[in-house]
Amino acid sequence: MRAARLHGIRDLRLEDLHRPTPGPGEVLLKVASVGICGSDVHYYLDGRIGDQVVTAPIIMGHEFSAWVAELGAGVEGLEVGQLVAVEPAIHCGECESCQHGHPNLCPDVRFCGTPPVDGVFAEYTVMPAKNCFPLLQGLGPVEGAILEPLGVAIHAVDLAHLKPGQTVAVLGAGPIGLLTAAVAKVSGVSAIYMTEPLAYRRQFALDYVADAALNPYENGTDVITEIMRLTGGRGVDVAFEAAGASETPDQAAALARPGGKVIVAGIPSDDTMAFTASITRRKGLTIKLVRRMKHTYPRAIRLVQTGMVDVKSLVTHIFPLESIAEAFEMVAAYDDGVLRAVIQVSA
Amino acid sequence: MRAARLHGIRDLRLEDLHRPTPGPGEVLLKVASVGICGSDVHYYLDGRIGDQVVTAPIIMGHEFSAWVAELGAGVEGLEVGQLVAVEPAIHCGECESCQHGHPNLCPDVRFCGTPPVDGVFAEYTVMPAKNCFPLLQGLGPVEGAILEPLGVAIHAVDLAHLKPGQTVAVLGAGPIGLLTAAVAKVSGVSAIYMTEPLAYRRQFALDYVADAALNPYENGTDVITEIMRLTGGRGVDVAFEAAGASETPDQAAALARPGGKVIVAGIPSDDTMAFTASITRRKGLTIKLVRRMKHTYPRAIRLVQTGMVDVKSLVTHIFPLESIAEAFEMVAAYDDGVLRAVIQVSA
Amino acid sequence: MRAARLHGIRDLRLEDLHRPTPGPGEVLLKVASVGICGSDVHYYLDGRIGDQVVTAPIIMGHEFSAWVAELGAGVEGLEVGQLVAVEPAIHCGECESCQHGHPNLCPDVRFCGTPPVDGVFAEYTVMPAKNCFPLLQGLGPVEGAILEPLGVAIHAVDLAHLKPGQTVAVLGAGPIGLLTAAVAKVSGVSAIYMTEPLAYRRQFALDYVADAALNPYENGTDVITEIMRLTGGRGVDVAFEAAGASETPDQAAALARPGGKVIVAGIPSDDTMAFTASITRRKGLTIKLVRRMKHTYPRAIRLVQTGMVDVKSLVTHIFPLESIAEAFEMVAAYDDGVLRAVIQVSA
Amino acid sequence: MRAARLHGIRDLRLEDLHRPTPGPGEVLLKVASVGICGSDVHYYLDGRIGDQVVTAPIIMGHEFSAWVAELGAGVEGLEVGQLVAVEPAIHCGECESCQHGHPNLCPDVRFCGTPPVDGVFAEYTVMPAKNCFPLLQGLGPVEGAILEPLGVAIHAVDLAHLKPGQTVAVLGAGPIGLLTAAVAKVSGVSAIYMTEPLAYRRQFALDYVADAALNPYENGTDVITEIMRLTGGRGVDVAFEAAGASETPDQAAALARPGGKVIVAGIPSDDTMAFTASITRRKGLTIKLVRRMKHTYPRAIRLVQTGMVDVKSLVTHIFPLESIAEAFEMVAAYDDGVLRAVIQVSA
């Protein structure tokens, strides 16, 4: 089968590899669409994310949909030819976190496309049957791929316990920030204030769900002052950090109302999350960290099927597998207009 | 001033009473619109709700909007002539419930139109200034009156802690059931299943927000069987009881998924709430009781102002104060097409 | 092997049965101590609990400790000869409840000694290795057996979310009520008020952990009046129902403070749980149902090992397997002084 | 009256000031015992805490008990001569935080001894009657003063939502850390691991409630390694930060189990709270900030009256008001054996 392997920094090679074989409880999947996630780009540009280092050639990719191509022994409930969205994390199922219902915190998780586990920029892959969620009623391969980042957004909103009529800020209008805003929007929020340095993303945010989209680099202090003004001096009930910048966690804390919440979804490149202690303390804030997602696929499917959340308009570019290097370069450059790029492996 | 007082069962009399005078921190209000609530009808038909008995002539009415007519000493932040929605509960502010942020549980609350406290089917009333919430940007007197039952619905949904993509059932499509469904709808719920014996209310529910509206009296067991079928045998995440029938709490328990919630908003005429113990136990249910509302006016105003929740279409009839007896008879008869009737005291 | 099977109402027979063989991931256990639970007595006296009916001879028993006798294929972390406490529920691991961390709500659970699954009033049994929790540091077979009802008590207290310095009522001073009180005691509660009709249990409760132990049948209304007096008219933060009487759920509601909780652990014989609606509504109560337990064994072991909870003094009688019928008759008669009777199958 | 005022850094002067007069709803209090809190020492040594600066002479002191000396107009429920513990925060009662039950987050709070509000290192003070909690049944002036830091500890434990049998770490064995550990101990915790640089405090912790007390400066990495070893590699359910050092928040995060909580009570001198992002993210931690306390006095009194928490042994030194400067110097020096020093203003 054809697959794209990362051999080093900015060294993606298309290769012919052996097609894997499904074991008991597994299925062979013919990969359909795969989103290029920010974490893939980190590996592409830096060869690492923190202490997770690419030390051998690896197939990246984890946001994906696929057609079921072959059933392993004992698999029930799936059919060959069926289009499925695929949860990319394979949890141990035995540890305390898994047993208590938090598979996203499993320390022994195997995650597609995270070293040393191969991902899905490839024609075929094998996954446990229970990771596969059939896509019915007009959900296509591209929407199926975006269910993964949508799941992260749903998990972020789950952590926030929003109430109808509350207000939020979302720092960062990349795909995770936008999807978080979209899920917050359908969760009863009456105002969404976003910040984002890139002009085309601010415009997208306004067209998509935001009530305001501000440029944090126009003038350092204006973002907080302006959102405090928009909220009548009160601050927002929940501030979502989805930018991964060094200053955004503390900005989120500054924007939250007394007793409010800060939900951190961004991954900072310097691996530091710092707050002004007195700001967080005087407001008695609760800060929660988003670790991937749990139990979100069925709900993500319903939110897209009912039209409550639009995932398709986030997909601004589609490339064939052969053009994957070009796609990565485009995403890495934050080219104008790029939100989510998808590799269409098969159609 | 003109006022309607209840002197006995079905004995509403229009009388001339003294206009009250606002004390320090209070305002004189010229009453605009007042909704006729089910509890008003209980007093009208039975002279009591449980152990709350009408023993002397009383002015009923508590769902209302008004114009500020005069400011008592020390009142700031309100202006004469301003249209306000009015929270009808006057809490003690000192008890443990009030101090802990649950004024709706205050045992010493004084509530408009609940014996022995006079309500607002009258030209004027006096209320604390802090009970008055200015209505801006096109919210009129009728919407202002409906903010009170909307607040009950918001409180019911607050208790449910809904997550995006969850599903709910709402038993009863009267005003509280419909508003609860509407608030659930904008809180991320992807499917709403309602039950209601009256055909016109089922139709309204479907036009308003429901995905299904079933008749519980067509065939006793069908409602549960049908909703279980619609949810793939899983049940709903949260079942709201808003009917006040003797069987609906247990139906709600039967509809909830394992680990789900039952939120009871209905007021049963026999004052009993009974469940099949094994059904509630095997599913480990959580049952929460709705007691009026807390802290909902600012959020209710935002939900209506942004167009997220439509309260106006629930108001099917408007009467002048002179026709209040006719209005009560119509509401008490569950006449075809009646949802909320409003008394327009002044315009 | 020797085993006691229930053939019909009050018809327990000692028989020679084939010793089972452990499959992969399972262990053969030589049963040590088995408590006689109230549910066992229900089957013994009535042949059923609600719709769970004894239709074929069954071995009852599920509160137990055992020695590991043989390891099935692939079992790690256990050793032959080791004394273990055994979680009696075998969950499916695949359903939504299991995946979300609520195995106690699994609809496909197989539970030792619940029809049609055989239990452990027998010399040997086979269980999954992961259900076995090694007992270290001086915990003996009898303590090991009582970890199961202790787990139910821990789960009941988990549901209550107690805060240090709060107060509770516990209705019913049988083993579950007493253990719930004991766990509440070490969870920061500053006062525990119990009710119990049997004099020797009231005395035990006072000696064990209770601040007061009242007789509910001395005078119907006195229990509530007296506990309200003891709490200065406020009521308790949490009322635990552990009696299974028809009136105790509503008594619990009457005892809870505004905004308080009612935790229902008792199993009523008429399968009805009824409340006075207005009492629960005016206080905005939260009612939670206790369904067995989840994730409690490691914590139960620590609570007993550290001496925080005394389980041993609850075991008032120990019988050999040969005397099991005599033991059941004694427990069924609520003989003076009986709390938990244990069958010592092997020693 | 005699009072000690801070005129500048290390410049405490005993002066004769006018005795205040209680207004309506207030009481005149004859101050009994006042603890010297770490925040008092911050003002004494630095003249500021963050942006709260001493710009005019101020009476410090806020942990106190007093005798009621005179009742203002309309005060009920208190008697002249009665010993009371006094909540030092005067909340506005009107803001959203106050209305929602979080007076500790009130932005308009007036707090004894925090600039520009005078505190209680003085013979007399005036406070609202509702801030006064009568001390019954043998609680003396010194215990009464320590109810204030005990309240902070109770609030910290409230935020943690501990379950019986869980384990905790407490970083810092000063008064707040020790009281937090004591409250955790009576809240069902089965193991408490503390860290503390000062040897006499480690010894006190072990004698008081700790299962281990480690020196974080003996070897930087050992504390985390050792506590991870003591918890079998799992980490603790909740890590309380009560040291205010720059590294302790991140240590707390390192000690928490996946899905665990970090509760931050310490006040860092550099006003920064920094975490290693990947550690907090991979474990999906929840971080909560302790802001003073809310609603804790009644529970604090019960915990001390029942003997569940020992506050008296924390009071290592008692000084008369005349020796206040000496007392501050001793506390500021972290002299061997000093935990809480109390100024006995009157007896």
Side-chain angles (χ1 to χ4, degrees), chain B residues 111-125:
Chain B
F111 196 88
C112 289
T114 294
V117 181
D118 273 326
V120 294
F121 288 124
E123 282 184 288
Y124 289 93
T125 193

Side-chain angles (χ1 to χ4, degrees), chain D residues 8-332:
Chain D
I9 290 177
R10 282 184 151 146
D11 180 8
L12 260 179
R13 303 183 198 168
L14 279 167
E15 301 174 311
D16 283 306
L17 302 176
H18 286 290
R19 179 191 296 189
T21 306
E26 295 182 333
V27 290
L28 178 70
L29 295 169
K30 186 179 182 193
V31 176
S33 303
V34 191
I36 299 179
C37 174
S39 60
D40 298 320
V41 178
H42 274 295
Y43 289 122
Y44 179 76
L45 291 180
D46 306 327
R48 68 191 306 156
I49 295 180
D51 55 5
Q52 291 176 307
V53 183
V54 177
T55 55
I58 185 171
I59 305 172
M60 297 184 293
H62 60 273
E63 301 181 352
F64 75 117
S65 58
W67 288 278
V68 176
E70 189 185 328
L71 304 182
V75 171
E76 291 178 9
L78 290 174
E79 289 175 30
V80 170
Q82 201 167 26
L83 180 65
V84 294
V86 190
E87 152 100 65
I90 305 174
H91 312 293
C92 83
E94 301 296 330
C95 71
E96 181 178 338
S97 292
C98 284
Q99 290 292 324
H100 287 224
H102 312 294
N104 59 318
L105 307 180
C106 171
D108 297 323
V109 67
R110 300 180 67 248
F111 195 88
C112 289
T114 294
V117 181
D118 272 328
V120 295
F121 288 124
E123 282 185 287
Y124 288 93
T125 193
V126 158
M127 290 291 287
K130 64 182 168 186
N131 284 49
C132 301
F133 296 84
L135 293 174
L136 305 169
Q137 301 177 4
L139 284 194
V142 168
E143 290 99 325
I146 307 302
L147 294 183
E148 203 273 346
L150 176 58
V152 175
I154 291 173
H155 182 52
V157 172
D158 282 354
L159 293 176
H161 293 295
L162 292 171
K163 290 181 176 180
Q166 288 191 322
T167 58
V168 303
V170 181
L171 284 67
I176 294 295
L178 289 165
L179 288 168
T180 299
V183 176
K185 184 76 171 181
V186 298
S187 299
V189 158
S190 60
I192 299 176
Y193 309 108
M194 297 188 75
T195 68
E196 167 61 46
L198 296 175
Y200 75 90
R201 293 187 172 196
R202 290 198 301 276
Q203 188 56 51
F204 187 93
L206 289 170
D207 296 341
Y208 191 53
V209 291
D211 294 278
L214 308 169
N215 183 353
Y217 296 146
E218 206 164 46
N219 182 326
T221 60
D222 270 358
V223 167
I224 292 169
T225 305
E226 178 63 7
I227 295 179
M228 291 308 281
R229 191 188 66 75
L230 287 167
T231 60
R234 174 184 179 268
V236 295
D237 292 288
V238 180
F240 294 92
E241 194 286 320
S246 57
E247 72 277 15
T248 39
D250 202 36
Q251 286 178 345
L255 291 172
R257 65 161 169 84
K261 297 193 191 82
V262 170
I263 309 293
V264 180
I267 300 181
S269 48
D270 68 354
D271 206 15
T272 297
M273 178 178 71
F275 299 92
T276 305
S278 55
I279 287 178
T280 60
R281 183 177 69 248
R282 283 182 202 156
K283 297 199 280 193
L285 296 182
T286 295
I287 302 162
K288 294 187 180 185
L289 280 293
V290 178
R291 172 59 165 171
R292 292 173 181 157
M293 80 197 79
K294 59 178 174 181
H295 317 308
T296 54
Y297 271 81
R299 294 191 280 136
I301 288 172
R302 285 202 294 273
L303 290 177
V304 177
Q305 279 186 329
T306 56
M308 295 170 74
V309 172
D310 160 28
V311 296
K312 206 157 186 181
S313 69
L314 290 181
V315 178
T316 53
H317 297 74
I318 298 182
F319 292 82
L321 183 57
E322 286 66 32
S323 308
I324 188 169
E326 179 190 345
F328 266 79
E329 286 296 323
M330 182 195 76
V331 173

Side-chain angles (χ1 to χ4, degrees), chain C:
Chain C
M1 66 172 191
R2 296 289 281 171
R5 288 212 293 182
L6 184 70
H7 283 254
I9 290 176
R10 283 185 149 145
D11 181 6
L12 260 179
R13 301 181 199 169
L14 279 166
E15 300 175 312
D16 284 306
L17 301 176
H18 286 290
R19 178 190 297 190
T21 307
E26 295 181 333
V27 291
L28 178 71
L29 295 170
K30 186 178 182 193
V31 175
S33 303
V34 191
I36 298 179
C37 173
S39 61
D40 298 321
V41 177
H42 272 296
Y43 288 122
Y44 179 76
L45 291 180
D46 305 328
R48 67 190 306 155
I49 294 179
D51 57 4
Q52 291 176 306
V53 183
V54 177
T55 56
I58 186 172
I59 305 172
M60 298 184 293
H62 61 271
E63 298 181 353
F64 76 116
S65 60
W67 289 279
V68 177
E70 189 185 327
L71 305 181
V75 172
E76 291 177 8
L78 290 174
E79 289 174 30
V80 170
Q82 201 168 26
L83 180 64
V84 293
V86 191
E87 151 99 66
I90 305 173
H91 312 294
C92 83
E94 301 295 332
C95 72
E96 181 179 337
S97 291
C98 284
Q99 291 292 324
H100 287 225
H102 311 296
N104 59 319
L105 306 180
C106 172
D108 297 322
V109 66
R110 299 179 68 248
F111 196 88
C112 289
T114 295
V117 180
D118 272 328
V120 294
F121 288 125
E123 281 184 289
Y124 289 92
T125 193
V126 157
M127 289 292 287
K130 64 180 167 188
N131 284 50
C132 301
F133 296 84
L135 293 174
L136 305 169
Q137 300 176 2
L139 284 194
V142 167
E143 290 99 327
I146 305 303
L147 294 183
E148 203 272 347
L150 176 57
V152 175
I154 291 172
H155 182 51
V157 171
D158 282 353
L159 293 177
H161 294 296
L162 293 171
K163 291 182 176 180
Q166 288 191 321
T167 59
V168 303
V170 182
L171 284 68
I176 294 296
L178 289 165
L179 288 168
T180 298
V183 176
K185 184 77 173 181
V186 298
S187 299
V189 158
S190 60
I192 299 177
Y193 309 108
M194 298 189 74
T195 69
E196 166 60 45
L198 297 175
Y200 76 90
R201 293 188 171 194
R202 291 198 300 274
Q203 187 56 52
F204 188 94
L206 289 170
D207 296 341
Y208 192 53
V209 291
D211 293 278
L214 308 169
N215 182 354
Y217 295 147
E218 208 163 47
N219 183 325
T221 58
D222 271 358
V223 168
I224 292 169
T225 305
E226 178 62 8
I227 295 179
M228 291 307 281
R229 190 188 65 77
L230 288 166
T231 60
R234 173 185 180 268
V236 295
D237 292 289
V238 180
F240 294 94
E241 194 285 320
S246 57
E247 73 276 16
T248 39
D250 202 37
Q251 286 178 344
L255 291 172
R257 66 162 167 85
K261 297 195 191 80
V262 170
I263 309 293
V264 180
I267 301 182
S269 48
D270 68 354
D271 206 14
T272 297
M273 177 177 71
F275 298 92
T276 304
S278 55
I279 288 177
T280 60
R281 182 177 69 248
R282 283 181 203 156
K283 296 199 282 193
L285 296 182
T286 295
I287 302 162
K288 295 187 180 186
L289 281 293
V290 178
R291 172 58 165 172
R292 290 171 182 157
M293 80 197 76
K294 59 178 175 181
H295 318 308
T296 53
Y297 271 83
R299 293 191 281 138
I301 289 172
R302 284 202 294 272
L303 290 177
V304 177
Q305 279 186 330
T306 55
M308 293 170 73
V309 172
D310 160 28
V311 295
K312 208 159 186 180
S313 69
L314 290 181
V315 179
T316 53
H317 297 76
I318 298 181
F319 292 82
L321 184 57
E322 285 67 31
S323 307
I324 187 171
E326 180 192 341
F328 266 79
E329 286 295 325
M330 183 195 76
V331 174
Y334 285 94
D335 274 1
D336 196 41
V338 179
L339 282 167
R340 196 51 116 216
V342 163
I343 302 298
Q344 192 72 32
V345 179
S346 307

Side-chain angles (χ1 to χ4, degrees), chain A residues 179 186 219:
Chain A
L179 289 168
V186 297
N219 182 326

Side-chain angles (χ1 to χ4, degrees), chain A residues 229-288:
Chain A
R229 190 188 66 77
L230 287 166
T231 60
R234 174 184 178 266
V236 294
D237 292 288
V238 180
F240 294 94
E241 193 286 319
S246 57
E247 72 277 17
T248 39
D250 203 37
Q251 285 178 344
L255 291 172
R257 66 160 166 85
K261 297 195 190 80
V262 170
I263 309 293
V264 179
I267 300 182
S269 48
D270 68 354
D271 206 15
T272 296
M273 176 177 72
F275 298 92
T276 304
S278 56
I279 287 178
T280 61
R281 182 177 69 246
R282 283 183 204 155
K283 296 199 281 192
L285 296 182
T286 295
I287 301 162
K288 295 186 179 186

